[in-house]
Amino acid sequence: MLRPVAIHCLLSTLLCMWVLCNAQSPSGPPVIQLRLAGEKRKHYEGRVEVFYNGEWGTVCDDDFSITAAQVVCRELGFMNAESWSPSAKYGSGEGHIWLDNLHCTGGEKSLAECHSNGFGVSDCKHSEDVGVVCTQKRIPGFNDNNGIDIFHIICEYQVEDVRLRATYSQRKRIPITEGFLEVKYGGKWRQICNEEWTEKNSRVICGMYGFPGEKRFNARPYKLLASRRKKNFWGFSVNCTGNEADLSDCKIGREIKRKGNSTCEQGMPVVVSCVPGRAFAPSVSAGYRKAYRLEQPLVRLRGGAMIGEGRVEVLKNGEWGTVCDDNWNIRAATVVCRELGFGSAKEALTGARLGQGIGPVHMNEVECSGFEKSLTECYFNRDAGCSHEEDAAVRCNIPAMGFNKRLRLNGGRNPYEGRVEVLAEKNGSMVWGTVCSDSWGTMEAMVVCRQLGLGFASHAFQETWYWQGDGSTDAVVMSGVRCSGTELTMDQCLHHGKHILCPKGGGRFAAGVSCTQTAPDLVLSAQAVEQTTYLEDRPMYALQCAHEEHCLSSSADKADPSSYRRLLRFSSQIHNNGQSDFRPRAAHHSWIWHECHRHYHSMEVFTHYDLLTLNGTKVAEGHKASFCLEDTHCDEGIQKRYECANFGAQGITVGCWDTYRHDIDCQWIDITDLKPGDYIFQVVINPNYEVAESDYTNNIMRCRSRYDGQRIWTYNCYIGETITLEGP
């Protein structure tokens, strides 16, 4: 169980400055020092900062490139760069912006050798500070030859890896929750002496590994094991306060004098034991089996592509709302993560990075100590004054469950697509095989993408003949798969078990998926529905087109042409709150012309309109409405991209909404046969999950309705899983 980390020491910056200032070269590029900074980061990523002329400053993102990022990472001792981020992703720096318009070829040994405007010549603001993500692997025997080794030696003790080394009896347990804590330093694994080790230190370690807390353990077997093993202690102790999100945030303690086997005479190697969240309770070999359910009803995550990430939402007075990102930091994010059964936070995200929520903004300017059991215990400002563009989100550390070792994609053009293959037991051995595509759909694909850490599903495929897979894995080993969408692995979905039933067989008919990092999120405006609902009595002779398109209840089939139908009319205004455009699954050639609306519908069943009794029984025949999808209106600054006219491209752009007005055909429920009484009016968007979304829980709108035979009142409209049932 490995974890890269850097343990930083707090030593005199004056000494480091003295070293650098005395290392300036009289000719050629100046000698500089680099570091990665910022609060929401790991040790191999962060805001790029440059030490020049006795002061730390930043680098502007103008003209920055992956080549420049590679120079930065190699200068810091990492093998390479993975990516770079503009616009102060890791927070805005301070002081000078030392470099701007950097152009590197990739062969430079120092960022100072790259062409730029010159040191201190910049027209940028700190909102343009650049950040990088380096590969975790360090350059073997890295040695900075420009005379600044002293900075690294004095100011940072690089620990290459950290691990929990489980005992033999614990190694088959998934996840590993207990073991000797070891650090890799100088290429060798070393123990830490427990003479000054505290529970707060263990709490930080557990958080790093995805566990919400630490617990006591039986020390006797560990003492026995330690007495039989050769001692090789790391030379320092560690001082954590307990609210750090990562070991790299802890202070280094006193130096431990090494005396061979006599080192740490009064103690033994550190052992850490962690408490897993209920969702990750350990089992032997099989791993996690029960479907994931949140333990804490006051806080939840929504809109995240991966396990343990999402927009933070809190429940207040029976209504879910969001948290404003003012002062949002890693400490508050860690409280959320631990509360939900995860470990500490990897990132505290701002600016609605994981999509915008709906409803009120319940909390603003949150301040946590880090030891609260719930985010609701932290100090916060109730007067939010924020929009959903400022919704806060988190990414949490989760335990290593090995989910991606039992599932893979094969034959695709890239790692994000392919036919689904699972590892299953057959005749006493483990073999790879395919999944039957009968009933295979978006929900099943979503679970596959999540289990592999590839994000959301983009498409679910019931034929995969165009992806050339290994013929030896064509046999179907899993059939009858049906997922609800909350599962963490395919094993948790309903399926036939060992009794495979797949008439079509595998091979070309094996199930497949394509995954994506972003997804749309459609939300119906409850206010628009509530404000536009009314009754209309319309003669049958004026409803011929609608009748042919099955927009009336079945009793209309025998109705006299001169009779009237009573229609509950309303407008549908559907907003895309997600991070990518909502596009229909069907291709242009399969769209259907609708005479009533005089345009093509790209989704035959886009919404369900129903009227239910208070116990949930349908009383007005559910009308399955098809739609042409277009951008009717967009938020300020967003351009419309989709238009129904002239067989144009269909969809709903992020930040735009599609409005179906109350006065167009089929935008109703036929309530001609309805008896007076109290009812629930329900609208469901994308009911068949044809298109993947980041959050399906906000696709349902319910309202209370009271009908007296002549008039109808619609009130208390609500999006999501809760409805207020009080009368008017």
Side-chain angles (χ1 to χ4, degrees), residues 138-207:
R138 293 189 61 78
I139 298 171
F142 172 70
N143 183 33
D144 187 350
N145 292 319
N146 62 9
I148 316 180
D149 301 356
I150 301 171
F151 184 94
H152 295 283
I153 294 170
I154 295 178
C155 291
E156 187 174 87
Y157 295 95
Q158 284 290 346
V159 173
E160 299 156 36
D161 284 303
V162 177
R163 71 180 182 186
L164 277 183
R165 184 175 179 178
T167 60
Y168 291 110
S169 62
Q170 299 280 335
R171 286 180 186 174
K172 290 186 178 181
R173 295 176 72 85
I174 301 174
I176 293 173
T177 60
E178 183 177 297
F180 287 107
L181 179 67
E182 296 184 342
V183 298
K184 193 175 185 181
Y185 179 70
K188 295 181 180 180
W189 287 105
R190 304 170 189 269
Q191 304 94 32
I192 298 178
C193 179
N194 74 346
E195 288 179 2
E196 298 182 12
W197 190 261
T198 66
E199 289 184 358
K200 293 179 178 179
N201 292 356
S202 294
R203 186 173 190 266
V204 174
I205 296 294
C206 290

Side-chain angles (χ1 to χ4, degrees), residues 432-443:
W432 287 99
T434 58
V435 178
C436 185
S437 62
D438 287 352
S439 74
W440 186 258
T442 301
M443 281 303 193

Side-chain angles (χ1 to χ4, degrees), residues 665-676:
D665 271 359
C666 297
Q667 188 58 31
W668 62 55
I669 297 178
D670 183 353
I671 64 167
T672 304
D673 307 317
L674 189 69
K675 296 178 180 179

